[in-house]
Amino acid sequence: MSDAAKLQLNGISSGYGAVDVINEVTLSVRSGEIFALMGKNGMGKTTLLKSILGLIKLTRGSVAVDEKSIAGRKPSELIACGIGYAPQEQPLFQDLSIRDNLRLALTSDRKLAAAQERVYGYFPFLKERLSQKAGTLSGGEQKMLILARALMLQPKLLLIDEISEGLQPSVVSKIADVLKHEAASNGTTILLVEQNLDFALSIADRWAVLKLGAIDDQDTNGPDSRSRVLQHLKI
Ligand SMILES: Nc1ncnc2c1ncn2[C@@H]1O[C@H](COP(=O)(O)OP(=O)(O)OP(=O)(O)O)[C@@H](O)[C@H]1O
Ligand SMILES: [Mg+2]
């Protein structure tokens, strides 16, 4: 991990209509770190990720990756240039097979074999059931396929939205290992949006809590982080 910002949000605001959901968020995610962004339902976590990717227009502020503004870039361009996204909603082509869902993550077949081996290494069941339609996978299997698909492009920056939702503990712990390995061995920078604070804090270098679209608290992950984050997540 280095001190250089891989992802820098400078006072960004965004929303869906007249009222902003995200309010002047400034946040720096360092190169090679796992940064956990937590917050209660409806606080704007997904909106923030979509705003980073340009899926929702900013009303204020700017987003920089590797110190370069990514304003005006199409989401598809961002994904092609090394930003991976494991979204929270409707992420898979339900009527396509695992093979085709994974293939669609790549713009060319050239890198397919190496990328596939990498994700099969992480999640062997994918290789064993290549022809199964994504829509017939269990919820947990679909989550693993979503992450596998995001990893196919060997992203340098990976945005992950509530991947642990509804997963059994052993799968959550498997995903924790995969993400730790990605950050430590490949230098992948990970912005992890999570409600599961035990999972998030088991792998995060730093964390922040989003409240009503603004950063309410943030720190390096340490012994008192769990109780501090828990206070923020109370109803
Ligand atoms: N398409 C939309 N149109 C209008 N408002 C929306 C839309 N999507 C989300 N919102 C509103 O924006 C706010 C933030 O929603 P968002 O989905 O970003 O929250 P979240 O923190 O990701 O919540 P969760 O933990 O439940 O996924 C909520 O009040 C939500 O109702
Ligand atoms: Mg969300």
Side-chain angles (χ1 to χ4, degrees), residues 1-41:
M1 205 210 307
S2 84
D3 278 351
K6 179 73 187 173
L7 172 69
Q8 179 69 47
L9 311 184
N10 294 310
I12 69 168
S13 298
S14 62
Y16 300 94
V19 183
D20 282 334
V21 169
I22 298 300
N23 292 303
E24 300 193 13
V25 168
T26 292
L27 194 69
S28 188
V29 181
R30 295 175 194 150
S31 204
E33 80 173 338
I34 300 179
F35 192 104
L37 180 69
M38 290 169 282
K40 293 194 271 194
N41 293 128

Side-chain angles (χ1 to χ4, degrees), residues 130-158:
L130 279 174
S131 302
Q132 188 172 344
K133 285 191 168 58
T136 64
L137 295 175
S138 77
E141 289 166 343
Q142 292 199 26
K143 286 280 193 178
M144 287 184 268
L145 179 56
I146 292 163
L147 180 59
R149 196 178 60 175
L151 290 171
M152 285 292 282
L153 279 173
Q154 300 192 245
K156 289 284 150 215
L157 172 64
L158 182 54

Side-chain angles (χ1 to χ4, degrees), residues 1-2 4-8 29-35 52-53 64-68 70 73 77-86 106 111 118 122 147 149-160 179-192 205:
M1 205 210 307
S2 84
K6 179 73 187 173
L7 172 69
Q8 179 69 47
V29 181
R30 295 175 194 150
S31 204
E33 80 173 338
I34 300 179
F35 192 104
I52 293 170
L53 286 164
V65 174
D66 293 327
E67 300 183 344
K68 282 182 222 106
I70 56 169
R73 301 256 212 115
E77 290 170 358
L78 295 177
I79 285 166
C81 79
I83 303 181
Y85 178 40
L106 291 185
K111 295 181 184 156
R118 184 175 135 101
Y122 285 149
L147 180 59
R149 196 178 60 175
L151 290 171
M152 285 292 282
L153 279 173
Q154 300 192 245
K156 289 284 150 215
L157 172 64
L158 182 54
L159 312 178
I160 304 179
L179 298 182
K180 260 195 296 200
H181 183 267
E182 278 295 310
S185 303
N186 300 325
T188 313
T189 306
I190 299 173
L191 178 54
L192 183 69
D205 298 292

Side-chain angles (χ1 to χ4, degrees), residues 187-216:
T188 313
T189 306
I190 299 173
L191 178 54
L192 183 69
V193 163
E194 262 307 322
Q195 299 260 7
N196 180 339
L197 79 161
D198 288 323
F199 160 57
L201 293 177
S202 75
I203 57 171
D205 298 292
R206 295 191 299 138
W207 55 267
V209 174
L210 197 65
K211 186 175 178 186
L212 299 174
I215 302 291
D216 197 31

Side-chain angles (χ1 to χ4, degrees), residues 42 44-47 88-89 161-162 193 195:
K45 303 179 297 297
T46 298
T47 306
Q88 184 176 15
E89 315 138 353
D161 199 349
E162 300 209 30
V193 163
Q195 299 260 7

